[in-house]
Amino acid sequence: MPARHPLAPARRARRRLSAWSLLASAPINAVGVTALIAMFVAFGLGERSTGMTLGRTNDILGLVATALMMPAVFELHDLTGPDRRLLRGSLAVVGLGAMVAIVWLQTLLITERLTFEAQLPMVSVAYLAIAVWFIGGGWLAARAGVLPNGVRLGAAAALYVGQPWWAYRWGRVLLTAAAAGLARPAAGALADPEPSTVLADRRTVTPSAKG
């Protein structure tokens, strides 16, 4: 078992900041996903002007949410260690590079310095790369015992519609890790307790509470 080194105060603050950045991105992403779905509905109803407005809203919110996810790349890299250093490092480079590319390309699109047709092939590659990071990071998290359902969570995020829930769950994990004050808490220490365990604890406590 790897040594459980305490986090320096600066590292702990950075981890907490990354957690809150992810938690802030969750509702922004949720509104963006809603705007995207509404955009397709508007186009289907022949409301092109409304659809274009909703699409632009999704582009702006997606840019902000992606920027807010960037600090978490480094924390997820650390939490899923210490094994598989090459894979973890490669995924971190892919994830961060994809996020930078998405923010840059979306900025060019929003400011009308790049057309949608010209942007689409490049941003599609960036979204494919970030999907690899979502799923690969989820697999590493599951193997490390940090997030048992990491692969399914990552797959949902890779489909875009699951990104709000992904951001919320990982934000909670990072907050718990920051509170623990350890660089790499023991496997399973960051996972949410199973409902059956919580219920069992309540059944145990309740009789004594009644006295």
Side-chain angles (χ1 to χ4, degrees):
M1 176 183 293
R4 299 172 65 190
H5 303 293
L7 279 174
R11 285 282 310 281
R12 195 170 182 174
R14 191 186 78 183
R15 182 162 290 177
R16 190 176 292 112
L17 176 62
S18 298
W20 284 114
S21 292
L22 274 185
L23 291 172
S25 77
I28 294 172
N29 246 326
V31 176
V33 169
T34 303
L36 181 65
I37 295 171
M39 180 194 75
F40 286 116
V41 173
F43 281 140
L45 295 174
E47 298 290 339
R48 179 174 173 78
S49 177
T50 302
M52 293 295 289
T53 301
L54 289 167
R56 185 177 179 83
T57 300
N58 172 68
D59 290 335
I60 294 171
L61 294 177
L63 184 158
V64 174
T66 301
L68 287 171
M69 287 194 296
M70 286 185 188
V73 173
F74 305 99
E75 300 304 325
L76 270 60
H77 170 272
D78 290 346
L79 280 181
T80 53
D83 300 329
R84 304 177 180 86
R85 293 183 62 182
L86 179 59
L87 177 58
R88 288 188 297 116
S90 300
L91 281 174
V93 170
V94 168
L96 188 61
M99 291 179 194
V100 170
I102 289 169
V103 169
W104 176 59
L105 291 168
Q106 291 295 84
T107 300
L108 293 178
L109 179 66
I110 293 165
T111 57
E112 299 181 354
R113 286 182 285 173
L114 194 65
T115 64
F116 174 75
E117 291 76 15
Q119 188 232 30
L120 184 60
M122 294 182 286
V123 81
S124 296
V125 172
Y127 274 114
L128 179 61
I130 203 172
V132 171
W133 177 73
F134 279 132
I135 297 172
W139 181 81
L140 287 172
R143 296 285 294 182
V146 175
L147 206 58
N149 64 340
V151 175
R152 285 178 293 173
L153 193 64
L159 295 174
Y160 187 60
V161 293
Q163 285 187 23
W165 181 241
W166 178 93
Y168 172 76
R169 289 289 288 111
W170 268 112
R172 288 280 306 276
V173 166
L174 290 181
L175 276 182
T176 303
L182 296 171
R184 297 187 185 95
L190 304 181
D192 289 341
E194 293 294 329
S196 58
T197 305
V198 175
L199 289 174
D201 290 344
R202 287 178 179 172
R203 284 195 296 268
T204 303
V205 172
T206 302
S208 60
K210 289 181 179 180

